Amino acid sequence: MASFLRDEQVENLTISEERIIQFDQAFLTRSLTVPERVEDPNDTLVYYYNVIRFDNKGYRVFSIDELKSYFNQADQVERVIFTIESKDSLNSNRATGSYMELRLDASNSSNCYLVVSSEDADWVDASFSNVKEILDKCKNKHGLARGAWSELSIQLSGVLIGFLISLWAAVSMTPFLEVDNAFFIIFLFALLIYSNLWTYINETIHSFVRRIFPPIKFYRTNRDKLHWILQAIVGGTFAAIILLFLKLIFNAVGYFLNQYLNIGA
């Protein structure tokens, strides 16, 4: 491995065509200053290329026009990769030589990173900083929707919904079941059924949230306006549901006590 390396995982980014052009320009500029090329100007074996995967197919491209064309025509952009590799890096599987890569993956945050490595510390630092400056301009708020607090909110909402459904079932069915402790039997049975269903419901909700708020959002002005509207609707609806359930839980407790006391009487 080369003596110097800087890397960083990246996520919660919105990547537009403008940013694609900026990344391409940054990589193209850094490819002209790769230490191996500076040492031997006649050495043209420094490779700069891009990879774009969309609609379940991928292409390696060598021009920004081709990259933009695929980016804008895709129904769904899945991944974009910018890569610089010297001949030594390519031949040694990156054990030696200079290389630089930015991976942007819409579905897998662990596959999103910026890495630069070389024997030249100055080239590593300058290259990393140039691209990092552009990445900082791409930041969005998707991390809030996929973070721990969001997961906690979904879980609490599920608990509240399960409680209310079980409470409604118990109050509705108790008068028709002539057994001791009918209310608690129905309540616990309904809660048990719901708790088993919640495992699958919870995963479906998380999958939906991850799709609406991906780690990398590839934004095309002519295609993705509806996505922003959907995000706003989901966020507003989720906040409204939380407030509604907080209100309903207190109303339900009062209703439960009133009904239970009447049944006991």
Side-chain angles (χ1 to χ4, degrees), residues 8 17 53 100 112 117 183 263:
E8 181 177 300
E17 180 182 333
R53 179 173 174 80
M100 176 179 175
C112 301
S117 181
F183 179 89
I263 292 172

Side-chain angles (χ1 to χ4, degrees), residues 153-163 194 198:
S153 297
I154 293 172
Q155 185 63 31
L156 289 177
S157 297
V159 172
L160 290 174
I161 293 172
F163 176 81
Y194 176 82
W198 174 244

Side-chain angles (χ1 to χ4, degrees), residues 156-203:
L156 289 177
S157 297
V159 172
L160 290 174
I161 293 172
F163 176 81
L164 292 174
I165 291 175
S166 301
L167 188 61
W168 170 80
V171 170
S172 300
M173 298 178 64
T174 295
F176 304 100
L177 191 64
E178 297 180 356
V179 297
D180 293 337
N181 299 316
F183 179 89
F184 290 107
I185 292 174
I186 296 171
F187 179 83
L188 292 175
F189 179 76
L191 191 61
L192 179 63
I193 295 297
Y194 176 82
S195 63
N196 282 277
L197 291 175
W198 174 244
T199 301
Y200 303 97
I201 297 172
N202 187 37
E203 179 54 36

Side-chain angles (χ1 to χ4, degrees), residues 86-106:
S86 67
K87 179 176 64 176
D88 289 343
S89 174
L90 189 64
N91 291 339
S92 66
N93 196 25
R94 298 187 174 178
T96 60
S98 301
Y99 68 90
M100 176 179 175
E101 185 166 87
L102 173 64
R103 281 181 172 261
L104 304 170
D105 193 316

Side-chain angles (χ1 to χ4, degrees), residues 4-6 25-27 29-31 33-35 84 99-100 114-118 120-134:
F4 302 98
L5 181 145
R6 289 189 66 179
Q25 186 59 49
F27 270 74
T29 300
R30 299 316 300 172
S31 71
T33 61
V34 173
I84 295 172
Y99 68 90
M100 176 179 175
L114 168 64
V115 59
V116 187
S117 181
S118 177
D120 188 320
D122 292 337
W123 186 81
V124 170
D125 290 338
S127 300
F128 187 90
S129 298
N130 283 3
V131 178
K132 185 67 166 60
E133 184 178 349
I134 302 172

Side-chain angles (χ1 to χ4, degrees), residues 1-2 5 22 47-48 53 109-110 166 213 227-228 233 235:
M1 182 178 293
L5 181 145
Q22 291 175 355
Y47 303 92
Y48 169 50
R53 179 173 174 80
S109 59
S110 64
S166 301
F213 300 96
H227 187 90
W228 290 104
I233 292 174

